[in-house]
Amino acid sequence: MDFPETKVKEVLDMDINLNDIKPGQRARVLDLTAQDSMRRRLLDIGLVKDTVVECLGRSPGGDPSAFLIRGAVIAIRSEDCCGILVRPC
Amino acid sequence: MGLTNSSTGANLAGGTRILLNTTAKKVIALAGNPNVGKSTIFNNLTGMNQHTGNWPGKTVSLAAGRWQDCTLVDLPGTYSLMAHSAEEEVARNFICFDHPDAVIVVCDATCLERSLNLALQTMEISSRVIVCVNLMDEAKRKGISIDLDLLSGRLGVPVVGVSGRRKKSLSALTDVINSADFPQSSLQLQYCSEIEQAVSALLPLVNTLPDMGIPPRWLCLKLLERDETLTAELLSRQDIQPLLEEAGAALSAVSLDHTQLCDLMAAAAVNAAEELCRGVVTYSAGKYNTFDRRVDKILTSRAAGYPLMLLLLAIIFWLTIEGANYPSQLLSNLFAKGQILLTDLFTRWGAPDWLHGALVLGIYRVLTWVVAVMLPPMAIFFPLFTLLEDVGYLPRVAYNLDKPFKRCKACGKQALCMAMGFGCNAAGIVGSRIIDSPRERLLAILTNNFVPCNGRFPTLIAILTMFFAGASTSSLLSALLLTAVIIFSVGMTFAVTKLLSATLLKGAPSSFTLELPPYRKPQIGKVIVRSIFDRTLFVLGRAAAVAAPAGLVIWLMANVSAGGVSLLNHCAGFLDPFARLMGLDGVILIAFILGFPANEIVIPIIIMAYTAQGSLLELDSTWQLRQLLIANGWTWSTAVSMVIFSLLHWPCSTALITAYRETLSRKWTALTALIPTAAGVLLCMLFTAAVKLLS
Ligand SMILES: Nc1nc2c(ncn2[C@@H]2O[C@H](COP(=O)(O)OP(=O)(O)OP(=O)(O)O)[C@@H](O)[C@H]2O)c(=O)[nH]1
Ligand SMILES: [Mg+2]
């Protein structure tokens, strides 16, 4: 199957959300798919497009994970991480 | 933890109107992100003692205090003026609708960008904003420097740098408040051309509205944004329904959908804040938070996270039990001597027997028991726990426990309410305001009573020590047993939360974010002095108000007889068959019922009731107390039932009133009492039946 080059890239990007970022890795926010109140909350804590976030670790149960966002450490559940599309950097 | 009259008492839910009906010349609000030190600054200016703690969401209601001729209002923290939870709504409504004469936006110097986001939003609604950059000491330590003048120039409002914990550093802030010359024009957020167009389209219409004291431009933006809670507030003040429709039309005229608009607006503020900080904030040290990260790695690690939590809890219990031994002993001896003296006095005056009985054997006894046995552990546990809170450990507990709470379809922040419940269930219930989802908040309220509050710890400690830890010496064993009891109560919290999520409060876990603040050096001296002082006064006050009358009632019941049998025996006899099924006896149940206003009087009442009828023992050691209990038919299984029922019975009156205030529903309040009681009765009965079967 032949996809145009750009299309493939976009699809790949869209597949990566904050859950795929391992502790110690950094990523740049591409888009939010979270809705309503959570979307606004994420924007309020500074997760707008192009913001760089770093995964700091996971809680003992493996979820939630802690992220460094604009100088603050914020824990986000895996379900909510799905709504944050990123590109590793 | 909120444990004083001011935090559990009448002014908790306090309406803002009451606060503001004073003669103060000016009303000044302290706003800001959570955990930036608003309450600390408030306390240092007003001399009041609002509770502070190193975690976001400590303050959940308004507090007002007097500073010079101004009323200062401490608000709960919010990330933006778009409220998500009950406590944020309190703050948002105050800033938007109570028209404070000035708003001090407290910012975190170590995280200035995000703080400025709120400052910019506040400047949209109020023209009198002071930006107060707090935590300058912490920033300095972390190698962050901030050019305050440059920032002030860019914002067009006064900017001051302070370290809230140090009173002296606040003079910069007070100078600005006093001078009160606010520049006329300050920076206003600019949005993309589509939004600006829509605003211009709406502006003429909004200008026709009667004045609400709200800037028209801001009102336009909010109409476009259609924030539900805010719209409801606005609608309650004025009929803006037609305007809302106009706003919808204006939005589609510039071909933006609602989500796009909200994104653009939020992003505009975030980006503007980022832009403002460029050149204002400089980092000299590369990695300024390595220490925090290292500690977090340990405290939240897969291997050590949970064990360390338990270890910390056990250590706190051990310190409490060990530390309380000596003062308890001392006070008991002292009060025993006092009793002899008092009795002497009474006989010398030739006072009638009943008077001596009622005053000395009734009131004095119960009161001194509360002070000698119940107070010391409370006065030690409380500051220890507060220190843990001040360091910043509690949010890590919430972080660690979020997974199990999610399994119960609840919110990880419930762990914070639970932790506060260890101090006082009423405070835990109010604290549930930090939970965004109403369903999850109700879960937190309904299950808060499953963890024992400070007032129930001494009861648990006394029983565990007497019946399970062997003679009086082994504090360590008692501490371990108490830890096990707490694990049980947390387990019950999970079980009941899960059960409720599957039945009465069905639903999926909702989204949430939890901030993990930096670790901070606690203000040890201040915490100890304050909490001992607060706690002691509070318990003493409550003892006087509740323990004394209860002592009197019990004495009367034991000594007024009808038909040859004392009233106490009548009542105890009536409750006895039921109580026996639970492995208790009628007297114990009566004590729990009379202990409704304050849990710490349950054991004193039991003793009172046992001694009032029979031989008068000298009760100056736990060992003698044990003898008394055994003489009254207690066995190890009575003790277990007692522990279970102490953990699981109705909340005290304060907690119940608070639950009503928070839920505003008779049904949920009743359930707050019914659920733990039913669980307690059931478990006690099961346990007693099992013991009977096995022996
Ligand atoms: N080092 C340092 N710590 C501070 C300073 N100001 C406040 N703190 C600490 O920061 C923590 C939070 O302070 P609070 O006053 O409770 O913060 P708040 O803004 O009222 O928080 P919420 O009520 O949760 O919104 C406490 O542990 C304070 O002791 C400061 O200037 N320097
Ligand atoms: Mg506060």
Side-chain angles (χ1 to χ4, degrees):
Chain A
M1 272 197 286
D2 274 336
F3 282 116
E5 185 71 43
T6 51
K7 184 81 181 181
V8 173
K9 190 167 180 310
E10 209 176 291
V11 169
L12 278 180
D13 282 344
M14 293 316 252
D15 270 340
I16 292 189
N17 62 46
L18 213 45
N19 282 317
D20 303 311
I21 306 303
K22 306 250 148 27
Q25 287 184 328
R26 286 144 64 88
R28 191 177 289 276
V29 176
L30 287 181
D31 197 7
L32 298 181
T33 57
Q35 287 306 310
D36 307 325
S37 162
M38 188 57 185
R39 185 184 185 91
R40 182 60 199 236
R41 174 75 96 198
L42 294 174
L43 291 169
D44 283 342
I45 58 174
L47 279 178
V48 301
K49 195 171 178 315
D50 282 337
T51 304
V52 175
V53 297
E54 181 184 338
C55 181
L56 296 175
R58 310 213 189 283
S59 87
D63 181 39
S65 307
F67 299 94
L68 185 66
I69 302 171
R70 292 182 187 261
V73 182
I74 293 180
I76 306 178
R77 282 181 177 170
S78 59
E79 287 84 348
D80 300 322
C81 287
C82 292
I84 304 166
L85 305 180
V86 295
R87 175 185 295 153
C89 66
Chain B
M1 279 180 286
L3 275 150
T4 50
N5 279 317
S6 63
S7 56
T8 53
N11 57 0
L12 241 189
T16 56
R17 312 282 160 265
I18 312 166
L19 297 175
L20 301 182
N21 275 342
T22 51
T23 52
K25 256 177 38 203
K26 279 192 266 177
V27 176
I28 299 174
L30 277 163
N33 287 169
N35 206 38
V36 294
K38 299 175 294 296
S39 303
T40 308
I41 293 177
F42 175 85
N43 286 346
N44 266 335
L45 285 180
T46 60
M48 286 173 63
N49 290 302
Q50 273 294 104
H51 291 275
T52 64
N54 189 11
W55 54 281
K58 179 74 202 178
T59 309
V60 291
S61 59
L62 300 176
R66 197 60 184 245
W67 172 75
Q68 295 185 353
D69 56 356
C70 305
T71 299
L72 221 53
V73 183
D74 183 25
L75 301 178
T78 74
Y79 290 113
S80 80
L81 289 184
M82 183 88 163
H84 300 272
S85 54
E87 113 268 22
E88 287 187 340
E89 210 177 312
V90 170
R92 197 269 320 272
N93 285 351
F94 191 86
I95 297 176
C96 296
F97 300 114
D98 284 287
H99 311 300
D101 295 291
V103 182
I104 301 172
V105 181
V106 182
C107 297
D108 179 348
T110 65
C111 191
L112 189 61
E113 215 180 288
R114 200 185 58 198
S115 308
L116 283 180
N117 181 354
L118 181 73
L120 286 168
Q121 292 184 40
T122 313
M123 284 160 58
E124 281 190 304
I125 179 146
S126 170
S127 56
R128 299 168 144 268
V129 168
I130 299 169
V131 170
C132 171
V133 183
N134 189 29
L135 295 153
M136 289 298 272
D137 55 335
E138 205 167 284
K140 195 169 160 205
R141 219 182 43 246
K142 292 182 171 174
I144 302 171
S145 65
I146 292 169
D147 188 340
L148 297 169
D149 292 332
L150 182 59
L151 183 61
S152 176
R154 286 183 183 173
L155 283 171
V157 301
V159 175
V160 293
V162 302
S163 299
R165 280 185 181 177
R166 260 177 266 138
K167 210 167 189 162
K168 268 206 212 114
S169 79
L170 290 177
S171 61
L173 178 63
T174 51
D175 288 349
V176 172
I177 304 176
N178 277 330
S179 71
D181 57 350
F182 292 94
Q184 281 313 297
S185 71
S186 56
L187 183 74
Q188 287 293 315
L189 275 175
Q190 292 303 315
Y191 299 95
C192 61
S193 56
E194 286 91 345
I195 298 181
E196 294 294 343
Q197 246 174 28
V199 168
S200 322
L202 270 184
L203 209 49
L205 285 167
V206 167
N207 276 331
T208 61
L209 285 178
D211 190 23
M212 284 194 278
I214 299 174
R217 177 182 161 85
W218 185 81
L219 195 52
C220 292
L221 289 165
K222 295 300 131 176
L223 287 169
L224 290 168
E225 206 176 16
R226 281 205 321 260
D227 170 3
E228 264 169 47
T229 57
L230 187 72
T231 313
E233 278 296 323
L234 286 170
L235 276 171
S236 74
R237 276 150 231 265
Q238 226 162 78
D239 180 25
I240 53 155
Q241 197 58 48
L243 280 176
L244 279 171
E245 276 146 33
E246 282 299 327
L251 205 54
S252 43
V254 292
S255 57
L256 279 180
D257 72 29
H258 182 246
T259 315
Q260 280 171 326
L261 172 100
C262 293
D263 280 12
L264 286 167
M265 283 179 68
V270 172
N271 291 329
E274 189 182 326
E275 204 55 48
L276 276 168
C277 283
R278 199 157 293 153
V280 166
V281 185
T282 40
Y283 301 85
S284 56
K287 279 268 176 194
Y288 59 88
N289 49 14
T290 30
F291 173 77
D292 283 6
R293 295 296 79 77
R294 219 172 282 157
V295 177
D296 266 345
K297 278 237 162 65
I298 301 168
L299 288 182
T300 65
S301 70
R302 192 175 274 267
Y306 293 127
L308 278 176
M309 244 159 64
L310 292 178
L311 186 68
L312 266 172
L313 205 61
I315 291 176
I316 287 192
F317 289 151
W318 179 73
L319 287 173
T320 304
I321 297 171
E322 185 70 26
N325 269 342
Y326 180 70
S328 254
Q329 201 63 49
L330 196 77
L331 287 170
S332 293
N333 290 340
L334 214 70
F335 287 137
K337 288 207 184 86
Q339 189 177 336
I340 297 172
L341 269 177
L342 274 177
T343 308
D344 244 25
L345 270 180
F346 272 76
T347 27
R348 206 169 304 157
W349 285 340
D353 254 6
W354 62 264
L355 191 67
H356 172 256
L359 292 185
V360 178
L361 301 182
I363 294 177
Y364 178 83
R365 271 258 186 112
V366 171
L367 206 86
T368 54
W369 244 92
V370 171
V371 175
V373 180
M374 303 289 133
L375 190 58
M378 294 164 92
I380 295 175
F381 176 79
F382 187 62
L384 285 178
F385 206 80
T386 313
L387 284 178
L388 210 57
E389 179 185 358
D390 232 28
V391 171
Y393 184 62
L394 293 195
R396 273 74 189 182
V397 172
Y399 179 61
N400 288 346
L401 288 181
D402 181 56
K403 183 80 182 272
F405 271 117
K406 191 170 85 182
R407 284 232 181 88
C408 306
K409 303 194 166 54
C411 176
K413 287 185 191 169
Q414 195 173 329
L416 291 170
C417 307
M418 200 167 74
M420 278 196 289
F422 283 129
C424 166
N425 291 128
I429 289 172
V430 184
S432 72
R433 290 186 191 182
I434 54 171
I435 298 175
D436 303 0
S437 140
R439 184 187 71 86
E440 289 165 8
R441 192 174 155 209
L442 263 178
L443 286 174
I445 292 176
L446 290 177
T447 55
N448 195 271
N449 197 51
F450 282 90
V451 295
C453 66
N454 205 10
R456 285 186 275 168
F457 273 117
T459 309
L460 295 171
I461 293 172
I463 292 171
L464 292 174
T465 310
M466 278 186 289
F467 283 88
F468 302 103
S472 50
T473 43
S474 178
S475 312
L476 190 63
L477 188 54
S478 302
L480 290 178
L481 286 169
L482 187 55
T483 311
V485 168
I486 297 310
I487 295 176
F488 167 76
S489 75
V490 172
M492 281 303 291
T493 306
F494 282 125
V496 173
T497 306
K498 187 155 194 172
L499 191 72
L500 284 170
S501 296
T503 52
L504 284 177
L505 288 164
K506 274 203 188 98
S510 69
S511 312
F512 90 119
T513 56
L514 173 75
E515 186 169 352
L516 304 176
Y519 292 100
R520 293 192 169 123
K521 208 188 288 162
Q523 299 171 287
I524 299 178
K526 193 165 181 175
V527 164
I528 293 179
V529 171
R530 273 257 61 85
S531 50
I532 292 189
F533 192 66
D534 276 7
R535 192 67 214 159
T536 311
L537 277 187
F538 180 64
V539 174
L540 279 180
R542 203 152 80 159
V546 178
L552 186 64
V553 168
I554 278 287
W555 187 88
L556 286 175
M557 279 171 75
N559 290 279
V560 175
S561 46
V565 183
S566 74
L567 270 182
L568 183 64
N569 280 347
H570 271 304
C571 294
F574 176 72
L575 289 174
D576 211 57
F578 180 67
R580 295 275 170 209
L581 284 178
M582 294 165 54
L584 305 171
D585 65 27
V587 167
I588 303 177
L589 260 194
I590 291 184
F592 272 110
I593 293 169
L594 285 178
F596 177 57
N599 278 299
E600 60 268 21
I601 67 169
V602 170
I603 289 219
I605 290 181
I606 294 177
I607 298 167
M608 190 54 228
Y610 285 156
T611 53
Q613 313 165 294
S615 54
L616 281 177
L617 293 163
E618 275 299 321
L619 286 172
D620 47 12
S621 79
T622 35
W623 192 245
Q624 281 160 328
L625 175 55
R626 182 186 140 97
Q627 298 308 105
L628 172 74
L629 295 178
I630 287 175
N632 279 280
W634 281 49
T635 62
W636 67 273
S637 74
T638 322
V640 173
S641 288
M642 178 77 191
V643 168
I644 297 177
F645 205 62
S646 303
L647 288 177
L648 311 174
H649 68 283
W650 49 86
C652 75
S653 52
T654 318
L656 216 52
I657 293 169
T658 312
Y660 180 72
R661 272 212 213 106
E662 294 299 310
T663 59
L664 291 178
S665 142
R666 289 216 185 104
K667 175 184 153 199
W668 294 119
T669 312
L671 282 171
T672 311
L674 270 177
I675 293 170
T677 310
V681 171
L682 203 71
L683 276 184
C684 282
M685 283 182 172
L686 282 176
F687 172 76
T688 311
V691 170
K692 276 213 185 98
L693 264 179
L694 291 176
S695 60

